[in-house]
Amino acid sequence: MVVYPPVFDSDYSKSSLISIAPFAAAHNKFNCVSGINANFKNYFSKNKRGGISSWGISSTYNRWQNSVLGSAVFFGALLFVPAPEVMAAGRLDVTTQDVTFSGGSQTFDAIDVSNNYTLKIENGAEVGVDGGFVEVGLGDSRATIHVTGANSHLDLLDSIALTLTLVDEAEAILLIEDGGRVSVNELNIAAGTNNIRVAGVGSVLDVYQILDMSVSGGPNSIVIEDGGAISIYSDTDTRIGATSNVFVTGNGSSLNVKDNLHLWTNAGHSSTMKIEGGGITSVGGNLYLAENGTGTFTVTGDNSWLTVGGNLSLGLNTGGAGSLLVQDGGNVIIEREAIIGIDGAGLISVTGENSRLNVHENLYLGTGTGSSMLSITDAGMVSVGSDIIVGGSGVSGINVIGADSKLEVNGSLSLGGDLYHSFFIGEGGVVSVGTDATIGGAMVGVSL
């Protein structure tokens, strides 16, 4: 493993295996020793005469260079792999050993992490890329980027894209924890198995242009926990498909999407999204669930929230099937309309005391050939700001069952269509309709 930059201490020059030039004309420099490993740690406060310094590779000498003239003496018997094996022509290749940046700042033209190795950024270090790609997981192996600690930052805003796994056999891990930050314009999942974890208060993944996990592959996972946050600021739709599971768990943990979010886009794949324990997900535009694949979206526990600034569409295309489950005090707010069971299948279930679904405009159950169901049980509550329309040529229905289970419709309730549409109130359920209730069409059943 190589760790950058070195430790400074005034008392250990004789035991060092590094060639030191304490008072070079322009810089403090040391030569790379061939064929051995390194383990350097950042300790700028012990740079006796130079103060805080910036260390980097000299393209002329292939040496570490200290930008401040001073005494640079290294702790212990330090062993170092030649710089060209790790950094060549401005490129960082983490393909033959683990590499750690511990403090300081470094910028590269591109980064490649593969072959079961790890790039670690810690102790406030900042690593950037100017103009090139960052690729993680190029071969039949695992590759990891680990950013940990307050002010530790992988800054990819000047790069082309961060791409995880380029082949099906590869596995990529992006781990951000304990206050670490990753900033990227474009994050792509190209193939393989991919895991993104953001954990701890102050730990952040910021995506400014595109997050695309819609390529068939996986399984993939996104875990946001213990106060971590992922924010997607793009005006381009965010797509999470294949077999991709997303978890937002713990107070203060959040997923924030500025525009539209598409989940479960790929046919033949089944996925899960879960907000629990006080986690929050906010979608500024529309939320599309089960366009072609299948999945379950669960919001569970007090102070767990899903807010959608646009429409909710669930079960869009033939073969798409999904469920939205609001449980045990979870809350969902849809600022505009909810459309369930278009040409696919959709279920909304709201169950348990203090579990709430609020749709500010219309709620549609069945609009094409799809099937749909709204189920309210065990003191759950659904409030619709305008109308409920149950229609389409598929099978659709409403069940309100259990004491204090409640459906509130501020506008009208209309049931009708070509096949069987049902409306069932039982065991203490309550339904209130602000204007008209119309029951018509073929094979409509009502049971009180």
Side-chain angles (χ1 to χ4, degrees):
M1 180 177 72
V2 179
V3 183
Y4 305 105
V7 174
F8 303 111
D9 201 303
S10 61
D11 300 325
Y12 296 92
S13 60
K14 293 183 180 179
S15 64
S16 175
L17 297 185
I18 303 298
S19 172
I20 304 171
F23 296 97
H27 301 280
N28 295 325
K29 304 175 182 178
F30 64 89
N31 296 321
C32 301
V33 179
S34 178
I36 46 184
N37 295 322
N39 188 15
F40 296 138
K41 294 184 178 179
N42 180 30
Y43 211 119
F44 283 135
S45 64
K46 291 186 178 181
N47 186 0
K48 297 300 183 182
R49 293 184 55 185
I52 295 178
S53 304
S54 177
W55 287 80
I57 290 293
S58 163
S59 59
T60 303
Y61 300 103
N62 287 325
R63 298 169 176 171
W64 281 97
Q65 293 190 170
N66 182 0
S67 62
V68 179
L69 180 63
S71 175
V73 184
F74 298 89
F75 176 84
L78 299 178
L79 307 177
F80 186 62
V81 170
E85 293 186 12
V86 178
M87 304 175 191
R91 180 183 179 92
L92 174 62
D93 288 313
V94 186
T95 57
T96 59
Q97 58 197 309
D98 295 330
V99 174
T100 297
F101 289 86
S102 188
S105 177
Q106 193 72 258
T107 300
F108 303 97
D109 293 338
I111 297 176
D112 173 8
V113 185
S114 59
N115 298 331
N116 295 311
Y117 292 108
T118 297
L119 169 61
K120 187 175 184 181
I121 301 168
E122 64 179 9
N123 292 333
E126 181 164 352
V127 175
V129 170
D130 186 2
F133 286 94
V134 178
E135 297 172 333
V136 184
L138 301 180
D140 182 10
S141 62
R142 172 183 292 183
T144 303
I145 292 180
H146 183 190
V147 184
T148 180
N151 300 315
S152 299
H153 188 196
L154 177 60
D155 184 354
L156 305 180
L157 295 182
D158 292 324
S159 70
I160 297 174
L162 169 60
T163 301
L164 304 183
T165 60
L166 296 177
V167 296
D168 290 340
E169 296 79 11
E171 178 182 358
I173 298 171
L174 176 59
L175 174 59
I176 307 165
E177 60 182 1
D178 298 331
R181 177 183 292 269
V182 173
S183 304
V184 61
N185 282 326
E186 185 172 331
L187 174 55
N188 295 315
I189 305 299
T193 299
N194 303 275
N195 300 285
I196 299 172
R197 179 171 175 262
V198 184
V201 175
S203 302
V204 175
L205 170 60
D206 288 325
V207 181
Y208 286 89
Q209 291 183 9
I210 298 172
L211 189 152
D212 192 344
M213 297 178 68
S214 62
V215 175
S216 183
N220 305 310
S221 71
I222 297 176
V223 178
I224 308 167
E225 59 185 353
D226 300 330
I230 294 179
S231 295
I232 303 168
Y233 300 101
S234 173
D235 293 325
T236 303
D237 290 9
T238 296
R239 300 178 184 276
I240 300 177
T243 301
S244 298
N245 300 312
V246 182
F247 301 92
V248 184
T249 180
N251 285 322
S253 301
S254 65
L255 170 63
N256 304 294
V257 181
K258 178 183 176 182
D259 206 337
N260 301 327
L261 174 60
H262 301 251
L263 295 177
W264 319 324
T265 58
N266 298 85
H269 292 267
S270 181
S271 302
T272 296
M273 180 162 179
K274 191 171 188 179
I275 306 169
E276 61 182 345
I280 299 170
T281 294
S282 174
V283 179
N286 300 323
L287 175 59
Y288 301 92
L289 301 180
E291 289 187 65
N292 299 294
T294 63
T296 301
F297 194 131
T298 303
V299 183
T300 182
D302 293 337
N303 300 314
S304 299
W305 286 87
L306 167 65
T307 61
V308 179
N311 298 326
L312 167 66
S313 298
L314 174 57
L316 281 79
N317 301 315
T318 302
S323 301
L324 173 61
L325 310 180
V326 187
Q327 303 172 341
D328 300 327
N331 286 270
V332 175
I333 295 176
I334 310 299
E335 296 284 354
R336 296 188 63 189
E337 297 181 334
I339 306 120
I340 313 303
I342 301 171
D343 288 321
L347 164 68
I348 293 181
S349 173
V350 182
T351 183
E353 187 176 2
N354 297 320
S355 300
R356 298 289 185 267
L357 167 64
N358 293 298
V359 180
H360 287 183
E361 297 183 10
N362 295 325
L363 169 60
Y364 295 91
L365 296 171
T367 60
T369 60
S371 60
S372 61
M373 177 62 68
L374 173 64
S375 176
I376 307 166
T377 59
D378 299 330
M381 179 177 176
V382 173
S383 175
V384 178
S386 189
D387 303 331
I388 292 183
I389 300 98
V390 182
S393 59
V395 177
S396 299
I398 299 173
N399 292 332
V400 184
I401 302 173
D404 298 320
S405 299
K406 192 171 185 179
L407 171 61
E408 292 183 343
V409 185
N410 289 328
S412 64
L413 172 63
S414 174
L415 287 88
D418 298 328
L419 287 179
Y420 184 79
H421 296 155
S422 65
F423 182 35
F424 182 83
I425 306 171
E427 301 177 12
V430 177
V431 175
S432 65
V433 179
T435 58
D436 299 326
T438 302
I439 299 172
M443 300 180 65
V444 174
V446 178
S447 178
L448 300 177

